[in-house]
Amino acid sequence: MSTITRTWRNLRRIGLKEYAHQMMYMGDTKAGTYIATDRYGNKYYENHDEELPLDKPPTEDAVLRTGQRSWELPEHRENLTASRAAFKTYST
């Protein structure tokens, strides 16, 4: 649930009709620049006001790099769920 100030600000930005539509289907209000719609009808918006402030892009951030930690696997391991090689527990 969003704060009352964010709700009022989004109501001003998107209008009463879209506000009612979003509250009925999502239970929250979103405002931003319309980017695209996928083949399933999902709408994608970009909102520059509420993005996370990042110093560097994620590809250059040392915290988000893969392969830097001792516990990480060197290569991707396939998920074997629902296959014959999946882990199964047996009672003894």
Side-chain angles (χ1 to χ4, degrees):
M1 189 70 189
S2 60
T3 63
I4 191 70
T5 55
R6 180 175 156 223
T7 302
W8 283 109
R9 185 177 63 233
N10 289 343
L11 174 62
R12 257 192 353 256
R13 287 181 183 172
I14 62 177
L16 193 58
K17 183 179 177 184
E18 183 62 23
Y19 172 81
H21 179 263
Q22 288 184 9
M23 287 302 288
M24 187 163 67
Y25 286 101
M26 293 188 298
D28 195 8
T29 57
K30 309 284 185 202
T33 307
Y34 175 74
I35 301 296
T37 302
D38 64 6
R39 63 181 173 178
Y40 302 109
N42 299 320
K43 294 180 182 178
Y44 294 93
Y45 293 88
E46 181 178 47
N47 188 353
H48 294 291
D49 296 338
E50 297 183 14
E51 289 183 8
L52 294 174
L54 299 174
D55 296 333
K56 299 178 186 175
T59 54
E60 297 176 7
D61 193 0
V63 176
L64 298 175
R65 279 199 191 128
T66 56
Q68 301 293 321
R69 296 163 192 88
S70 60
W71 50 266
E72 284 184 283
L73 298 173
E75 294 179 7
H76 175 71
R77 189 184 323 166
E78 182 182 359
N79 185 352
L80 301 173
T81 303
S83 70
R84 296 188 80 192
F87 176 77
K88 297 179 186 84
T89 57
Y90 295 101
S91 61
T92 56

